[in-house]
Amino acid sequence: MSDTVIPIFVQQHLSIPPLRRDAGLPLADVAGRGLRDLRISVTDRCNFRCTYCMPKEVFDADYPYLPHEEVLTFEEVVRLARIFAGFGIEKIRLTGGEPLMRKGIERLVAMLRETLPHIDITLTTNGSALKAKAAALKAAGLSRITVSLDSLDDATFRAMNDVDFPVAKVLEAIDAAKAAGLGPVKINMVVKRGVNDHHIVDMARHFKGSGNVVRFIEFMDVGASNGWRMDDVIPSREVVDRIDAVFPCEPANPNYRGEVAKRWRYKDGSGEFGVISSVTEAFCSSCNRARLSTDGALFTCLFAQQGFDLKTLMRGGQPDDAIRNAIAAIWQHREDRYSEIRTAETARQRKVEMSFIGG
Ligand code: SAM
């Protein structure tokens, strides 16, 4: 590993705060924010080395990925998901790392579906293994899927994923997902100035009228290894202006309160796209997402530096009630609003890697 990289984040857990008995359901944090979404990282490994997420120089052969015994089993994931469901969560997103690299992921989806028949179960993937798995994921009960694709230009995409993976295979995977009934597929494009921003309009053009929905994501200072600089961020406003200049568009209402992407629809009726503006228009005040890391720690913010260890409670034989109270107490004390207070200084903090707590 090169000497110049920031040292690897060392996981330390926060102690679980006391439960405030006065606070009943629905659960609310100190800012009155509820708990709606649960993101579960099912592996901290990925077969891509996207330069903005898991750069090769850091995530090399010496990188200390979690040992197998530290990774939550499917049974543990389902148990936690069931306890979270008791708080009224509406959506679970499986992510990582690359979730399709987790062996038997379809079985996990089926187990979650059987336990939680009415919850939206979604998954975010780089698409590399999706073509082969789309039908099985659908049959297992997956509701929808999000596929990451940063450019339609093959050379740009290969350089960004840094493992020479071609665009064509991701496009085939998107088609396969749609054919399997996992549509409308959401397509995530992280926009980085000078790297792929000249492909924004091409991306919009390609998926316009397809029924699928592209979401343009501002490059974020997640983790501690992606060399983030404000200068590299293309504000979502600029993304919208560039698309609007070619394909006139107008804002659309959110599907629900706290929706991450702001929706824009094409005035010619040919569909919509979204922008995710975590940097320039922070949406902390409506953030209702909890994140479960690959090793079973609860994180209450994507930009957190520490989480709360639920796995030890589970493996220590604690009953569901005790775990439920721990989650409630953690949420009651939640104060995070990182994106609202971001500065160049905070961007350098050693935050936990996105691959570990799930994007
Ligand atoms: N491997 C899967 C994938 O590629 O979609 C799931 C995990 S990935 C961490 C989830 C999402 O986070 C992807 O859409 C990815 O592009 C996005 N992401 C990763 N690093 C980011 C960053 N620094 N800023 C904005 N989005 C980022």
Side-chain angles (χ1 to χ4, degrees):
M1 194 178 295
S2 127
D3 294 340
T4 55
V5 298
I6 301 163
I8 290 160
F9 177 85
V10 179
Q11 175 77 357
Q12 279 173 335
H13 293 302
L14 295 161
S15 49
I16 292 171
L19 180 68
R20 277 200 349 252
R21 288 285 169 191
D22 56 317
L25 281 176
L27 206 51
D29 70 8
V30 293
R33 297 169 296 186
L35 175 53
R36 179 185 186 277
D37 283 10
L38 176 64
R39 301 199 173 188
I40 305 174
S41 173
V42 293
T43 174
D44 59 343
R45 293 163 193 261
C46 186
N47 55 333
F48 280 18
R49 285 292 171 274
C50 298
T51 48
Y52 56 78
C53 186
M54 295 182 74
K56 247 179 192 161
E57 316 78 65
V58 177
F59 294 87
D60 61 8
D62 297 329
Y63 188 82
Y65 291 103
L66 286 171
H68 182 69
E69 61 278 11
E70 294 301 323
V71 174
L72 289 190
T73 64
F74 287 173
E75 287 71 20
E76 288 169 331
V77 170
V78 173
R79 182 177 175 202
L80 285 178
R82 183 172 43 71
I83 296 171
F84 270 96
F87 294 115
I89 60 159
E90 293 170 30
K91 184 162 102 179
I92 289 176
R93 176 172 299 282
L94 301 177
T95 176
E98 173 47 42
L100 299 191
M101 283 186 71
R102 178 80 189 256
K103 206 166 155 224
I105 185 76
E106 311 84 322
R107 193 164 65 80
L108 174 62
V109 172
M111 288 165 70
L112 286 168
R113 176 51 73 219
E114 195 187 342
T115 310
L116 306 169
H118 305 301
I119 279 189
D120 235 9
I121 303 175
T122 66
L123 182 148
T124 304
T125 173
N126 61 28
S128 59
L130 178 59
K131 191 177 171 188
K133 287 185 186 266
L137 287 167
K138 175 69 187 175
L142 194 70
S143 314
R144 272 173 296 100
I145 202 149
T146 299
V147 179
S148 302
L149 177 61
D150 294 324
S151 178
L152 290 169
D153 176 72
D154 203 47
T156 306
F157 182 60
R158 285 176 192 256
M160 286 183 81
N161 64 54
D162 214 8
V163 292
D164 214 23
F165 199 84
V167 169
K169 287 208 165 159
V170 182
L171 291 177
E172 280 174 22
I174 292 170
D175 289 345
K178 202 170 171 207
L182 291 170
V185 180
K186 287 184 185 156
I187 291 118
N188 279 358
M189 171 174 174
V190 176
V191 183
K192 206 173 161 189
R193 190 179 297 281
V195 176
N196 63 342
D197 63 301
H198 49 303
H199 299 136
I200 291 169
V201 173
D202 287 346
M203 189 67 90
R205 180 181 294 109
H206 184 88
F207 289 104
K208 191 173 172 288
S210 70
N212 299 326
V213 179
V214 184
R215 288 124 46 100
F216 299 91
I217 306 179
E218 288 179 350
F219 172 45
M220 296 184 286
D221 54 325
V222 289
S225 54
N226 72 3
W228 183 88
R229 294 179 322 137
M230 187 64 207
D231 288 353
D232 294 330
V233 177
I234 301 272
S236 291
R237 185 65 247 176
E238 200 177 320
V239 171
V240 172
D241 288 347
R242 289 198 204 179
I243 296 173
D244 184 53
V246 185
F247 305 118
C249 56
E250 61 194 3
N253 289 330
N255 287 313
Y256 54 87
R257 183 178 147 71
E259 189 174 26
V260 178
K262 283 214 175 111
R263 300 170 62 212
W264 289 79
R265 69 173 152 247
Y266 298 110
K267 286 185 178 163
D268 66 4
S270 60
E272 63 178 84
F273 65 90
V275 289
I276 300 182
S277 328
S278 158
V279 179
T280 63
E281 285 176 71
F283 38 81
C284 304
S285 62
S286 60
C287 178
N288 48 23
R289 281 168 294 287
R291 294 184 142 82
L292 197 56
S293 66
T294 313
D295 66 347
L298 173 59
F299 286 81
T300 53
C301 178
L302 175 57
F303 301 93
Q305 298 185 56
Q306 285 167 299
F308 299 86
D309 182 8
L310 299 181
K311 182 185 67 195
T312 300
L313 290 184
M314 279 198 295
R315 293 191 180 171
Q318 293 292 328
D320 284 4
D321 264 0
I323 295 168
R324 191 188 139 71
N325 286 345
I327 295 169
I330 293 163
W331 198 263
Q332 286 171 348
H333 287 80
R334 177 184 188 242
E335 292 180 330
D336 312 84
R337 50 185 201 94
Y338 176 84
S339 290
E340 289 178 353
I341 55 169
R342 172 187 288 108
T343 60
E345 217 41 55
T346 62
R348 281 196 290 276
Q349 288 168 355
R350 285 215 242 141
K351 303 177 284 305
V352 72
E353 294 298 338
M354 195 168 184
S355 46
F356 180 72
I357 54 170

